[in-house]
Amino acid sequence: MFPISAEASENIMDAVRNPIGKEPVKRMRVTEAIKCKFQNMKYRHKLIVLLVTASLAPMILLVWYSHDRMSSLLYEKEMEDMSSILEQTGEGVDSQIEVFSSLLNYLTYSPDIEDLITEKNMDNYYAYKKYTEVADPLLTVPKSYHNAILQIQLFAESIKVRHEYTLVPLSEVEKEWWYEHLKEDVSVQWVVDRERPEIAAVRRIYQGREQTAVLCITLDYNKIFQTFENIISEGSGGIILDEDGNVLFQKELLIDENAKANEPEPLVSCENLESGQKDYAFVKRRNASCGWNFYLYKLQSAVNSSVSGILVSEIPLIAVCLIIILVLGLAFSRIFTRKIEELTDNMNRVNQGSREVTVDSDADDEIGLLIRSFRSMMDEINRLIHEVYENKIALKEFELKALTAQINPHFLYNSLSIINWMAIRSHQKEISKVTLSLSMFYRTALSKGQDMVTVDNCIQNIKAYLDIQLVMHDNEFQVMWEIDPEVKGDIVPKLLLQPVVENALEHGLDMKEDGEKILKLFFVKDKEDVLLAVEDNGPGMKQEEADKLVNYPVSGYGLKNVNDRMLLLYGERYAIRIYSKIGQGTRVEMRIPCQSADKETRDEEIFSAKKFLQNSDDNSLQTDKKER
């Protein structure tokens, strides 16, 4: 525990009662962390970041715009290519349809076919001769010119008996697979069966309102749609629909990564395409003669793959641009900050004690002006130091030596030795013990004017102080020590622990009303540091209050002064740490870098301790002799 003024204590309690103080410490936001990181960066690195950012921003915007524009052009080109391919393929299918429609019209209006249809009273010989010499050549010869034709059939009332597969009585037409799909129309009708697979080009022939014949050309399904099938590649598909929306042909080579292995993927429908799904890109064409609709579609990913290829090809160029920007940023930052870094290094050396200015600049810019101003300032400081400090320091040293000569520690030790001798002579052992402890305390405290002492010296000083306090407190508290022999030879600032121990007694153990009072002291090695700790089992305090103790100034040489001394000697890392809980006590830790005392200092302390003990023993012996 440590002494706190009433005003400071009231301020602490107000801060604790404040609702804001109860809020948990929030984590630093990412933006704040980045801002803090940027603020702590070297100026040269900041300049690199700014130059690279300023160069990257327009470059990224330009790359993004160029890539977006190129992507749009490539997408349009891809769609134009698909449309061109579908147009050429559709024209090929149209030409075949036109050929077979023309052939069907030609046969319909052929005089020989008309005679065959209208002449109903033929004898068998004449009919056979007509069939073989006239009808067969007309209906079979086209097969040799068009390999897509499977057969050409004429169904007529005038035909009484089937002649091979070409001439069939009209009464048997209803047995054909395509007949039920025909409309009451005299134009050429196209019927497709994907299962057979066949295509029928059919035309009804009427005399007046009565149907007298039906002419049908049966085509190979695969050969008719072969050209359309050939344009379907991986990642694409095609559909052909009739006027009623029935699927005449469909094939696709799509790959669905989410489809299950044993489950076939459902085919894409034209409703999905027309609904504007973004998964597919398609083009459409309509056949005017038969009313078929052709769809050619691709996966959007397949279309975008060609666009992605452009981005991949741009990556090397982007990488080269980034390297150039980075190299130029490094070069420019080096040029701009070279003098600043030299000035900073020179200032650091000045901060470490050197007063020599090595940086110089003849530039007329702000940096040159700053360097010349710094040189002028250091020249003025050197002049003032020479006139004021160096001239007056000698006088101060003489005054200090004179004062030290007046306050002779030997006089103090001899006086305490006489008091000790008189106490022993009077059989006042308690007074003798306190006198010896006080003599030991001042001997280790003064340490012949040295600022740094060994840990062993520090331990002796605290032991002497606690011996006196135990007498003053009538031994109402216990002292427990944990000392690592390895650290006894390391050096520490003198009088470091005495204020901490005093606070632990006054505001810790003295405030404890019930139970055993224990004071623990630790002098141990912790990695590269010497750990000095003082721990009491007093009433303790809230950790928030303990954290503020090192910031509150108090009268005398308090904890704040000890902490300031540690910061000046060793830096922020070695600030005092205080841990406390209500009802459990307080622990104060101080860390000091391990540094062994030189042999001369160690020998001097050993000699001084031996001499002190020898004088004490001599006084005791003299007293014993006189008593005898």
Side-chain angles (χ1 to χ4, degrees), residues 24-36:
V25 179
K26 297 182 180 178
R27 292 184 179 179
M28 183 179 290
R29 297 179 181 177
V30 176
T31 54
E32 294 177 352
I34 295 174
K35 182 179 179 181
C36 181

Side-chain angles (χ1 to χ4, degrees), residues 56-72 307 310-311 314 318:
L56 282 179
M59 191 192 79
I60 291 173
L61 182 63
L62 180 61
V63 170
W64 174 82
Y65 174 77
S66 301
H67 178 70
D68 184 68
R69 183 60 180 164
M70 287 293 295
S71 300
S72 300
V307 177
I310 295 297
L311 180 60
E314 292 173 351
I318 296 174

Side-chain angles (χ1 to χ4, degrees), residues 254-267:
L254 305 179
I255 300 175
D256 187 2
E257 297 179 353
N258 299 322
K260 297 181 180 179
N262 298 326
E263 294 184 8
E265 182 187 355
L267 297 175

Side-chain angles (χ1 to χ4, degrees), residues 64-314:
W64 174 82
Y65 174 77
S66 301
H67 178 70
D68 184 68
R69 183 60 180 164
M70 287 293 295
S71 300
S72 300
L73 293 175
L74 285 173
Y75 184 83
E76 293 174 3
K77 181 67 167 54
E78 187 74 18
M79 298 303 294
E80 288 178 1
D81 291 343
M82 288 176 61
S83 180
S84 176
I85 292 172
L86 181 63
E87 185 67 27
Q88 294 176 8
T89 305
E91 289 177 356
V93 176
D94 290 349
S95 63
Q96 292 187 72
I97 291 173
E98 290 294 333
V99 167
F100 298 126
S101 296
S102 299
L103 177 60
L104 202 58
N105 290 330
Y106 168 75
L107 293 176
T108 301
Y109 295 110
S110 172
D112 295 327
I113 297 297
E114 288 183 355
D115 291 343
L116 192 61
I117 294 172
T118 56
E119 195 170 346
K120 299 181 180 180
N121 298 320
M122 291 185 291
D123 56 31
N124 292 336
Y125 174 76
Y126 181 76
Y128 177 77
K129 186 176 181 180
K130 190 84 170 175
Y131 292 165
T132 56
E133 293 181 359
V134 177
D136 282 350
L138 282 173
L139 301 179
T140 57
V141 169
K143 288 180 61 179
S144 60
Y145 296 103
H146 304 283
N147 59 357
I149 298 176
L150 297 177
Q151 62 184 13
I152 302 175
Q153 292 177 298
L154 176 63
F155 300 84
E157 289 183 346
S158 59
I159 301 172
K160 304 302 182 183
V161 180
R162 174 186 286 270
H163 176 70
E164 296 183 356
Y165 65 86
T166 55
L167 302 174
V168 185
L170 184 61
S171 59
E172 298 182 17
V173 72
E174 295 180 358
K175 300 178 182 179
E176 299 297 324
W177 60 269
W178 41 262
Y179 186 76
E180 63 181 1
H181 301 288
L182 295 180
K183 300 177 183 178
E184 296 293 334
D185 195 350
V186 296
S187 60
V188 178
Q189 300 183 53
W190 294 84
V191 184
V192 180
D193 190 338
R194 300 173 62 187
E195 301 297 330
R196 297 183 70 87
E198 293 180 355
I199 301 175
V202 185
R203 180 164 185 173
R204 294 176 181 268
I205 301 174
Y206 290 87
Q207 285 186 352
R209 293 181 177 274
E210 182 180 357
Q211 178 177 278
T212 57
V214 176
L215 189 60
C216 174
I217 301 178
T218 305
L219 304 171
D220 189 335
Y221 176 93
N222 293 322
K223 291 181 179 179
I224 294 297
F225 294 129
Q226 183 65 46
T227 55
F228 185 74
E229 184 179 3
N230 291 339
I231 67 173
I232 299 174
S233 59
E234 184 176 351
S236 66
I239 308 176
I240 301 177
L241 306 176
D242 61 11
E243 291 181 313
D244 298 327
N246 298 317
V247 178
L248 304 181
F249 175 87
Q250 184 170 12
K251 181 180 179 181
E252 56 186 30
L253 298 174
L254 305 179
I255 300 175
D256 187 2
E257 297 179 353
N258 299 322
K260 297 181 180 179
N262 298 326
E263 294 184 8
E265 182 187 355
L267 297 175
V268 178
S269 64
C270 63
E271 287 80 5
N272 293 337
L273 298 177
E274 295 288 357
S275 65
Q277 284 191 359
K278 296 182 179 180
D279 295 337
Y280 302 96
F282 74 96
V283 291
K284 178 181 177 182
R285 182 185 185 278
R286 179 179 175 81
N287 182 295
S289 60
C290 61
W292 291 354
N293 291 312
F294 292 77
Y295 289 84
L296 179 62
Y297 56 91
K298 280 188 176 182
L299 283 171
Q300 194 69 43
S301 58
V303 177
N304 293 336
S305 62
S306 59
V307 177
S308 301
I310 295 297
L311 180 60
V312 173
S313 64
E314 292 173 351

Side-chain angles (χ1 to χ4, degrees), residues 1 507-508 536-542 545 580-586:
M1 301 293 291
H507 300 281
D536 66 76
N537 63 343
M541 69 187 81
K542 293 182 179 179
E545 296 179 34
S580 183
K581 288 185 179 179
I582 294 178
Q584 297 184 19
T586 304

